[in-house]
């Protein structure tokens, strides 16, 4: 195993710097003012371009990516909504990296987010010493994005109080922000390329419902779970490789186990197996992101606590932590899935047999 030589999580513009450089060198298509890449190159960055060695990063609804890119060229902001774990934040990060060259301009929505996080604050030592001045002003990520003509990302917008959300209305409408402390007529006007990508979980929509006025300033796009098992399998294997690569881990047996994992998640997520058997859906979020987490945890168990070959038992033991989060009844639903679906498949596959035996030993009730 190698020493860790990279950060736990690099931003997209650093993780895929080589791909962005190749795309920029090959980019002759029309480009909106302020954009680092053309819309066509942005699409290729996100959906992949084998000829240039650019990997696919977003799996699922390709037309959604096109609509998102078009939204960010318009005067409307882009609102990505969906179930937790459907890659909304990842898509916003990829768009920011390709369009602006950075995905780091982020406002994280929470109950503690206030208007200063959207507008500006002050360095109070300088404010007391000099009074209101450009030096004393601390710009928000939104103001920084306006000044530089870049994309700003607003994560979990519905977790912010309504008065904070509504501070965006004039920014999105006028593309301008008043700075009265620096002069009665001082207004910061956004440079070309500025726009906002916001995200919200459908399960959190009722936390702080957005006003109609703010909704009108966004184009809404729903990011759905990946429906194609082959796409989801490719995604979880790719993301597992990215997580294990910094530690120099070589793992055996991933493909079969990833297939079992994706089938299990798609069965439980949709409430129906590929063969047409109806199931009781758990309340827990059975997202692709959770599938990656389970496969990663199973891989770590296989490498550090076993012989280095991942199998169905590793997945079964790690699955419990995902399912038993929201409702005690979810354990019973997983137990029923194990007793009927997994048991039947165990008679035809060794990886399912390992999964079934380990899952039967779990305390789910």
């Amino acid at each position: 195993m190698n020493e860790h030589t990279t950060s736990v999580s690099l931003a997209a513009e650093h993780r895929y710097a080589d791909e962005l450089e190749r795309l920029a060198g090959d980019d002759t298509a029309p480009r909106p003012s302020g954009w680092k890449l053309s819309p066509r190159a942005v699409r290729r960055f996100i959906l992949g371009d084998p000829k240039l060695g650019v990997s696919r990063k977003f799996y699922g609804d390709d037309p959604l990516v096109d609509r998102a890119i078009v939204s960010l060229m318009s005067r409307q902001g882009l609102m990505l909504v969906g179930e937790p774990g459907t890659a909304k934040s990842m898509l916003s990060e990829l768009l920011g990296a390709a369009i602006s060259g950075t995905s780091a301009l982020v406002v994280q929505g929470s109950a503690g987010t206030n208007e200063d996080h959207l507008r500006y604050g002050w360095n109070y030592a300088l404010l007391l010493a000099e009074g209101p001045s450009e030096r004393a002003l601390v710009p928000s990520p939104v103001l920084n994005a306006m000044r530089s003509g870049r994309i700003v990302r607003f994560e979990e917008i519905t977790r912010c109080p309504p008065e904070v959300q509504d501070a965006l209305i004039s920014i999105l409408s006028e593309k301008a922000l008043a700075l009265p402390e620096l002069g009665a007529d001082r207004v910061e006007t956004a440079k070309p390329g500025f726009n906002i990508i916001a995200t919200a979980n459908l399960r959190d929509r009722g936390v702080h419902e957005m006003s109609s006025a703010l909704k009108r300033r966004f184009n809404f796009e729903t990011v759905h779970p990946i429906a194609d098992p082959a796409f989801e399998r490719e995604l979880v294997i790719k993301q597992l490789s990215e997580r294990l690569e910094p530690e120099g881990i070589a793992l055996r047996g991933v493909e079969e186990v990833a297939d079992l994992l994706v089938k299990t998640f798609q069965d439980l997520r949709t409430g129906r197996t590929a063969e047409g058997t109806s199931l009781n859906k758990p309340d827990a979020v059975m997202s692709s992101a959770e599938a990656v987490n389970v496969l990663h945890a199973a891989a770590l168990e296989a490498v550090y606590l076993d012989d280095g070959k991942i199998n169905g038992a590793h997945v079964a033991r790690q699955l419990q932590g995902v399912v038993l989060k929201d409702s005690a009844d979810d354990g019973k639903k997983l137990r029923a899935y194990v007793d009927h679906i997994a048991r039947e498949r165990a008679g035809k596959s060794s990886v399912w047999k390992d999964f079934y035996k380990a899952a039967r030993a779990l305390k789910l009730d």
Side-chain angles (χ1 to χ4, degrees), residues 20-149:
L20 289 167
E21 186 176 349
R22 287 196 295 275
L23 285 165
D26 190 62
D27 193 7
T28 58
R31 183 182 310 182
S33 181
W35 283 39
K36 297 288 185 183
L37 295 175
S38 70
R40 294 176 193 175
V42 173
R43 177 207 285 151
R44 290 156 69 197
F45 174 65
I46 295 171
L47 298 180
D49 183 343
K51 291 181 180 179
L52 278 182
V54 176
S55 61
R56 174 182 278 271
K57 302 164 190 69
F58 181 80
Y59 294 77
D61 188 353
D62 291 3
L64 180 149
V65 175
D66 288 348
R67 295 194 302 270
I69 292 169
V70 170
S71 289
L72 294 171
M73 288 188 281
S74 73
R75 290 189 60 85
Q76 296 286 94
L78 172 64
M79 173 66 68
L80 299 174
V81 301
E83 292 290 324
T86 49
K88 301 180 296 297
S89 295
M90 184 187 74
L91 179 56
S92 74
E93 180 186 354
L94 294 170
L95 287 164
I99 293 169
S100 300
T102 180
S103 59
L105 296 170
V106 182
V107 177
Q108 181 60 55
S110 71
T113 305
N114 58 47
E115 289 192 39
D116 289 355
H117 293 105
L118 275 64
R119 301 166 70 86
Y120 52 88
W122 298 97
N123 179 321
Y124 286 103
L126 286 173
L127 184 64
L128 291 171
E130 302 177 358
S133 66
E134 187 65 50
R135 265 196 353 130
L137 185 140
V138 179
S140 69
V142 176
L143 182 53
N144 274 329
M146 294 175 69
R147 287 176 165 177
S148 57

Side-chain angles (χ1 to χ4, degrees), residues 53-288:
V54 176
S55 61
R56 174 182 278 271
K57 302 164 190 69
F58 181 80
Y59 294 77
D61 188 353
D62 291 3
L64 180 149
V65 175
D66 288 348
R67 295 194 302 270
I69 292 169
V70 170
S71 289
L72 294 171
M73 288 188 281
S74 73
R75 290 189 60 85
Q76 296 286 94
L78 172 64
M79 173 66 68
L80 299 174
V81 301
E83 292 290 324
T86 49
K88 301 180 296 297
S89 295
M90 184 187 74
L91 179 56
S92 74
E93 180 186 354
L94 294 170
L95 287 164
I99 293 169
S100 300
T102 180
S103 59
L105 296 170
V106 182
V107 177
Q108 181 60 55
S110 71
T113 305
N114 58 47
E115 289 192 39
D116 289 355
H117 293 105
L118 275 64
R119 301 166 70 86
Y120 52 88
W122 298 97
N123 179 321
Y124 286 103
L126 286 173
L127 184 64
L128 291 171
E130 302 177 358
S133 66
E134 187 65 50
R135 265 196 353 130
L137 185 140
V138 179
S140 69
V142 176
L143 182 53
N144 274 329
M146 294 175 69
R147 287 176 165 177
S148 57
R150 291 184 288 184
I151 299 292
V152 63
R153 301 162 53 212
F154 198 143
E155 295 289 323
E156 309 287 359
I157 190 172
T158 53
R159 291 201 165 274
C160 296
E163 62 272 15
V164 176
Q165 296 180 29
D166 286 346
L168 284 177
I169 292 175
S170 60
I171 293 172
L172 283 166
S173 297
E174 309 299 331
K175 299 295 189 289
L177 180 62
L179 307 174
E181 295 89 346
L182 301 184
D185 299 324
R186 177 68 184 273
V187 175
E188 197 80 39
T189 304
K191 290 185 177 180
F194 167 75
N195 212 328
I196 296 175
I197 306 174
T199 65
N201 285 327
L202 288 175
R203 296 195 183 201
D204 293 340
R205 262 198 158 154
V207 175
H208 292 295
E209 184 66 28
M210 295 170 63
S211 67
S212 297
L214 182 56
K215 286 179 179 179
R216 288 198 303 272
R217 270 70 180 184
F218 284 103
N219 285 329
F220 278 65
E221 292 289 347
T222 301
V223 184
H224 295 285
I226 299 173
D228 187 332
F231 263 169
E232 188 164 18
R233 181 177 177 275
E234 182 181 342
L235 171 66
V236 297
I237 291 175
K238 179 176 182 288
Q239 293 205 351
L240 176 66
S241 297
E242 290 177 355
R243 293 189 184 189
L244 297 182
E245 185 179 4
E247 299 189 52
I249 293 176
L251 194 65
R252 294 173 287 133
V254 173
E255 287 75 14
E256 273 192 301
V257 172
D259 187 60
L260 176 149
L261 176 68
V262 168
K263 283 183 179 178
T264 299
F265 266 67
Q266 293 226 341
D267 291 345
L268 294 172
R269 181 191 302 149
T270 61
R272 181 176 293 273
T273 68
E275 297 79 18
T277 303
S278 295
L279 306 168
N280 287 322
K281 292 168 56 175
D283 293 332
V285 177
M286 306 300 293
S287 66
S288 298

Side-chain angles (χ1 to χ4, degrees), residues 277-305:
T277 303
S278 295
L279 306 168
N280 287 322
K281 292 168 56 175
D283 293 332
V285 177
M286 306 300 293
S287 66
S288 298
E290 290 284 21
V292 174
N293 290 336
V294 169
L295 190 59
H296 185 208
L300 294 176
E301 180 185 346
V303 169
Y304 290 107
L305 297 176

